[in-house]
């Protein structure tokens, strides 16, 4: 029975991270304010706008002195919105100039304020691409102030998005999105300050 208990405990550690690690990760996530953004979402779609990702920048994608061949896949729920081109031999990468006629681009698209966009970062390889990490943003039309129809979001890259990893480098990403008026829709009047 003792050996069976030890073997069971070893298997359990591989399946579920140690409880203090799980609590620390949950607290770190809560401290980012991401859960408040989820709770603060509105259920109704913003009738007057479409959203478009116009620029993605990612930093610290590989350890110091190493490079990868990164590309990014963007999802709105389970629908692929965008797949960037592959950048060769980079630690930091930037993608922009996405056209709605390009393969893998399904934007601009309708959105709800606070609806998350998920970004997966991949390393291209000849045989099998490797998943690097991911991040999420919660765009809101309220973030585009005044006449500016664009907003920029910064997010921390989570290396253990799909599997537990021991990566310590502080990767982050910046995403610029543009809000477009929806054709045929009447936008609500902007609040004016007195």
């Amino acid at each position: 029975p003792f050996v069976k208990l030890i073997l069971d405990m070893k298997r359990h550690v591989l399946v579920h991270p140690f409880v203090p690690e799980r609590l620390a990760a949950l607290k770190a996530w809560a401290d980012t304010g991401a859960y408040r953004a989820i709770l603060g979402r509105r259920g109704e779609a913003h009738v007057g706008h479409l959203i478009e990702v116009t620029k993605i920048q990612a930093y610290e994608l590989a350890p110091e002195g190493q490079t990868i061949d990164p590309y990014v896949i963007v999802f709105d729920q389970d629908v692929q919105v965008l797949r960037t081109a592959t950048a060769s031999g980079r630690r930091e990468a930037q993608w922009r100039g996405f056209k709605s006629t390009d393969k893998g681009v399904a934007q601009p698209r309708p959105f709800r304020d606070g609806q998350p966009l998920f970004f997966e970062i991949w390393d291209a390889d000849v045989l099998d691409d490797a998943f690097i990490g991911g991040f999420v943003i919660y765009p809101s039309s309220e973030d585009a102030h005044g006449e500016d129809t664009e907003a920029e979001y910064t997010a921390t890259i989570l290396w253990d998005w799909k599997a537990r990893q021991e990566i310590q480098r502080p990767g982050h990403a910046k995403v610029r999105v543009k809000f477009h008026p929806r054709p045929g829709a009447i936008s609500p009047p902007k609040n004016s300050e007195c």
Side-chain angles (χ1 to χ4, degrees):
F2 181 72
V3 172
K4 185 178 177 185
L5 174 69
I6 297 297
L7 291 174
D8 189 45
M9 288 176 64
K10 284 186 176 184
R11 272 186 298 226
H12 182 71
V13 170
L14 295 175
V15 176
H16 302 291
F18 191 53
V19 173
E21 290 178 32
R22 293 169 70 188
L23 291 174
L26 187 59
K27 182 180 182 327
W29 177 72
D31 290 344
T32 66
Y35 89 97
R36 285 185 203 90
I38 292 171
L39 294 176
R41 286 190 302 186
R42 295 188 193 104
E44 295 298 315
H46 190 289
V47 296
H49 287 91
L50 302 172
I51 191 170
E52 176 182 14
V53 175
T54 59
K55 182 173 151 184
I56 303 169
Q57 291 177 281
Y59 304 92
E60 302 293 330
L61 294 174
E64 190 72 37
Q66 297 179 18
T67 62
I68 63 170
D69 300 328
Y71 65 89
V72 177
I73 302 175
V74 183
F75 292 94
D76 179 359
Q77 297 180 22
D78 59 350
V79 176
Q80 182 177 321
V81 174
L82 174 65
R83 179 181 170 155
T84 67
T86 301
S88 296
R90 305 283 177 87
R91 282 192 75 229
E92 299 176 354
Q94 175 176 297
W95 299 271
R96 60 170 36 171
F98 313 116
K99 298 182 180 95
S100 60
T101 55
D102 291 344
K103 183 181 178 184
V105 177
Q107 62 174 13
R109 58 186 295 110
F111 82 103
R112 287 185 310 227
D113 280 338
Q115 175 70 35
L117 289 176
F118 299 94
F119 295 74
E120 292 184 350
I121 304 169
W122 291 81
D123 181 11
D125 197 2
V126 176
L127 298 176
D128 193 23
D129 295 355
F131 180 77
I132 301 300
F135 61 95
V136 63
I137 64 168
Y138 302 88
S140 173
S141 59
E142 295 173 1
D143 296 334
H145 300 289
E147 297 299 316
D148 190 12
T149 61
E150 292 188 328
E152 188 170 272
Y153 299 90
T154 302
T156 301
I157 297 173
L158 303 174
W159 307 114
D160 59 354
W161 184 300
K162 290 187 175 183
R164 185 175 177 190
Q165 296 183 19
E166 300 297 328
I167 298 175
Q168 299 297 319
R169 65 180 180 277
H172 69 281
K174 291 184 180 181
V175 176
R176 182 168 286 275
V177 298
K178 186 171 188 173
F179 302 100
H180 298 279
R182 187 181 293 191
I186 299 172
S187 296
K190 299 232 182 207
N191 293 339
S192 59
E193 295 181 7
C194 297

